[in-house]
Amino acid sequence: MSKQELVVLGQTDGVAVCCPGLLTAPLNEDQAGELAKVFKALGDPVRLRLLSMIASRAGGEICVCDLTPAFDLSQPTISHHLKLLKQAGLIDSERRGTWVYYRPVPEMTDRLAGVLTRPTGEPLPQSAGAAS
């Protein structure tokens, strides 16, 4: 792993360590720090749109040449946003000649969904002082 890559949701040496769901157990400090890096990458509207465009593309991948025209931003700025999404482990890329093709990392999007999903059939925790 390069020094620029982020450790993502407990991945160590390519082995993912799953975080508990937010609604099932509190995150420890390390888990919260790792998860915050991913949410920080998603905290920008351009990056969120880029991930959406990549993830929803028929065939599972999209050329950077198809992403750039959708934004009123320079190509280097789009490349920077894509780099941050890649460092967060949300997308992967492959260079083919002049162009770079991007695809989502399903394990990461599934892991994020799992962190944010309440186990089936379990009620939400009641807040203190809530009416019964």
Side-chain angles (χ1 to χ4, degrees):
M1 176 170 13
S2 75
K3 290 181 182 178
Q4 292 181 339
E5 289 182 64
L6 300 175
V7 175
V8 181
L9 292 182
Q11 288 182 351
T12 55
D13 298 327
V15 177
V17 178
C18 189
C19 296
L22 292 175
L23 299 176
T24 60
L27 298 173
N28 68 35
E29 188 174 339
D30 290 338
Q31 292 166 329
E34 292 167 1
L35 191 56
K37 292 174 187 175
V38 176
F39 283 118
K40 183 175 181 179
L42 291 173
D44 182 277
V46 171
R47 290 191 291 271
L48 195 53
R49 282 188 59 210
L50 283 166
L51 180 62
S52 173
M53 291 173 71
I54 294 165
S56 65
R57 182 67 171 214
E61 66 180 13
I62 188 170
C63 178
V64 70
C65 62
D66 295 323
L67 292 169
T68 305
F71 297 89
D72 189 22
L73 297 169
S74 69
Q75 185 277 325
T77 300
I78 296 296
S79 292
H80 173 73
H81 285 296
L82 290 166
K83 175 183 164 188
L84 293 176
L85 289 171
K86 188 171 178 179
Q87 287 177 337
L90 292 161
I91 62 173
D92 201 0
S93 65
E94 179 182 340
R95 178 171 292 281
R96 296 182 201 148
T98 304
W99 300 111
V100 178
Y101 289 79
Y102 291 91
R103 63 188 165 278
V105 176
E107 298 83 9
M108 177 56 74
T109 54
D110 291 349
R111 199 169 304 130
L112 280 175
V115 167
L116 297 172
T117 303
R118 179 174 45 93
T120 305
E122 286 197 24
L124 289 173
Q126 293 290 322
S127 62
S132 303

